[in-house]
Amino acid sequence: MNLILLGAPGVGKGTQAKLVMEKFNIPQISTGDILRSEIKENSELGQRVKSLLEKGTLVPDEIILEIVEKRLFKPDCFRGFILDGFPRTIHQAEGLEQILEKMHISNLKVIEIYVQEEAIIERLTNRRICSNCGKDYNLLLNSPPPNNTCIICNGKIIQRDDDKVDTIRKRLLVYRRETEPLISYYKKRNKFYRVNGLQEVDVVFEEIEKIIT
Ligand code: AMP
């Protein structure tokens, strides 16, 4: 199964991608996670993209396509994969088409998780993540764990720099301008499905499961 999870920042793509990964045993490929780990390691790539992530602007397509191509050719992707946060522009979608051709893959499904913008802003300003393992914490659902320490790895729980309200608005604008056109791109190719992301996490997952099985 080869799946793209599409949707604005904060609709729950990462959460759903992890559930699909666990149930179907295929890797979640999050370009945002890959970039954040490069920044954390202070690699050459990390240094190049750091300020772009802080501002909420997109990293150039060529950099992203190189990262994704390298990742998709790893053996754990041969049985399938979930793309989370990629593609984000028409040019990236076209680049992905070429990568998939090289991999002889034609069965791709695209699921948009949809949530209205006001609800997204509320969710993102209440999102915290573990600075070590990346686990998501939602302050709207639960109070933070004691001492702001991750329940999985004991890492420190922080707010992402780009989850502050001005940057969120910028990221939503970028989403509308650059990424939303992908909806009609994939609709034309008959690969497009939509689920309502305001439902409970389990219900969203059930709907995704129905689409992919
Ligand atoms: P995310 O974790 O998916 O919200 O991504 C965080 C940030 O990483 C975005 O605001 C962009 O700056 C960058 N980024 C992640 N994925 C992509 C992509 N496919 N294309 C361009 N920039 C990306």
Side-chain angles (χ1 to χ4, degrees), residues 91-105:
H91 186 230
Q92 289 182 16
E94 289 167 351
L96 175 64
E97 238 168 69
Q98 286 174 10
I99 298 171
L100 296 183
E101 249 170 56
K102 278 193 224 164
M103 296 174 77
H104 305 289
I105 287 175

Side-chain angles (χ1 to χ4, degrees), residues 31-32 35-36 53 57-59 64 85 88 92 160 171:
T31 41
L35 295 167
R36 277 185 291 278
L53 268 80
T57 27
L58 294 183
V59 170
I64 296 287
R88 261 178 153 98
Q92 289 182 16
R160 272 170 53 172
R171 287 161 68 207

Side-chain angles (χ1 to χ4, degrees), residues 28-78:
Q28 167 201 17
I29 300 171
S30 154
T31 41
D33 284 350
I34 295 173
L35 295 167
R36 277 185 291 278
S37 91
E38 294 284 338
I39 292 170
K40 202 167 154 210
E41 284 164 24
N42 204 20
S43 68
E44 204 188 316
L45 172 63
Q47 290 174 22
R48 277 169 72 193
V49 300
K50 188 168 188 281
S51 69
L52 297 175
L53 268 80
E54 279 165 2
K55 281 187 288 194
T57 27
L58 294 183
V59 170
D61 291 335
E62 301 314 325
I63 296 182
I64 296 287
L65 282 167
E66 204 183 311
I67 293 174
V68 171
E69 174 152 13
K70 228 193 253 164
R71 181 64 189 87
L72 285 178
F73 273 93
K74 290 199 174 155
D76 64 334
C77 293
F78 293 171

Side-chain angles (χ1 to χ4, degrees), residues 128-139:
R128 300 292 180 273
I129 62 161
C130 170
S131 57
N132 184 47
C133 73
K135 180 178 166 47
D136 258 346
Y137 291 87
N138 179 348
L139 303 188

